[in-house]
Amino acid sequence: MADENSLRERLIDVGVDLVLTEGSASVGLREIARRAGVSHGAPRRYFATHHALLSAIARRGFEDLAARFETAVDPEAPPRAQLERLAKTYVGYALECRGMFELMFRHDLLDGAQQRDGRTQLRTSTLPLFELLATLVDRCGKEPGAVRRPGAPGDSAPPPTVTAAALWAGLHGIAQLWTWGSLQLALATPPPGDEERDRLVTAVLDAHLGPVAA
């Protein structure tokens, strides 16, 4: 069993390397088998479908991103400071690991079903990251001096999950548009423009949570 697990992990290692260097479109069972030095049918013992293989690779990406969040975010810091560190880490990961980032959130490509070997759904890796974001948004809203953004008369503030989803979409948009060079063009910012990119992240946080009180 140890050898079997070792081979499965080696196949995923090869897939991760392919995604990071050449993008998810380059990942196929036969190509991974070739690079791993095994028969072309070997990956089928572990991954029934191409989607199952992509899901195993994406899970590695979520584990990496979660580890980066843990390193970057001080749990004793105020929730807004934690969110800012999380946001900048998220965008930074997107730019550093472009192929993996583009794969991780393509749930139309990924296999959401429990694997035949009993491994859990990919959602067990993806949802905790969003739950962390929603928890921090909720804590920000309860901080003294937090900005309350009223809607139409009689409307209550959106739940933290809605605000977190909107914030996530904004951060994801910054990451993708920066990767494509669109934001640099719009802002007339030559690359790398890290300082300008960080200002965009702060602006997205301010838009959804209000500016930090002076």
Side-chain angles (χ1 to χ4, degrees):
M1 179 63 71
D3 288 343
E4 290 291 298
N5 287 336
S6 176
L7 177 55
R8 182 182 186 277
E9 292 305 306
R10 181 152 60 94
L11 293 170
I12 297 173
D13 288 342
V14 172
V16 168
D17 185 63
L18 266 173
V19 166
L20 290 174
T21 57
E22 301 181 28
S24 59
S26 65
V27 177
L29 295 174
R30 283 180 174 269
E31 179 60 14
I32 283 182
R34 185 186 72 79
R35 295 196 181 205
V38 298
S39 68
H40 66 78
R44 290 288 183 185
R45 298 205 304 268
Y46 311 98
F47 310 106
T49 65
H50 185 223
H51 287 186
L53 171 61
L54 290 176
S55 294
I57 294 168
R59 188 186 297 274
R60 287 280 191 87
F62 280 107
E63 291 169 354
D64 183 17
L65 184 56
R68 293 180 187 224
F69 284 166
E70 186 174 352
T71 299
V73 176
D74 177 3
E76 301 303 319
R80 177 58 179 266
Q82 292 187 51
L83 266 177
E84 185 153 355
R85 291 296 302 156
L86 184 151
K88 290 178 179 177
T89 300
Y90 182 84
V91 174
Y93 180 83
L95 302 182
E96 179 185 342
C97 306
R98 179 174 177 179
M100 182 66 79
F101 182 81
E102 291 178 350
L103 171 65
M104 287 163 59
F105 303 99
R106 289 292 307 276
H107 283 271
D108 55 326
L109 294 179
L110 302 177
D111 187 355
Q114 182 165 319
Q115 304 302 305
R116 63 185 180 187
D117 59 4
R119 286 182 171 84
T120 55
Q121 295 177 336
L122 181 65
R123 65 185 297 160
T124 62
S125 294
T126 63
L127 289 181
L129 300 184
F130 177 72
E131 289 165 359
L132 172 61
L133 182 64
T135 296
L136 289 174
V137 166
D138 185 37
R139 288 178 56 197
C140 282
K142 294 174 181 176
E143 286 284 286
V147 174
R148 303 294 190 269
R149 295 189 176 281
D155 283 356
S156 58
T161 51
V162 172
T163 300
L167 175 58
W168 177 25
L171 295 173
H172 200 89
I174 289 175
Q176 197 64 275
L177 291 172
W178 196 272
T179 296
W180 292 335
S182 303
L183 285 174
Q184 294 93 317
L185 177 64
L187 297 171
T189 304
D194 291 346
E195 185 176 338
E196 188 69 20
R197 190 182 69 232
D198 286 346
R199 280 199 290 267
L200 286 172
V201 170
T202 300
V204 168
L205 290 170
D206 288 348
H208 292 289
L209 302 174
V212 177

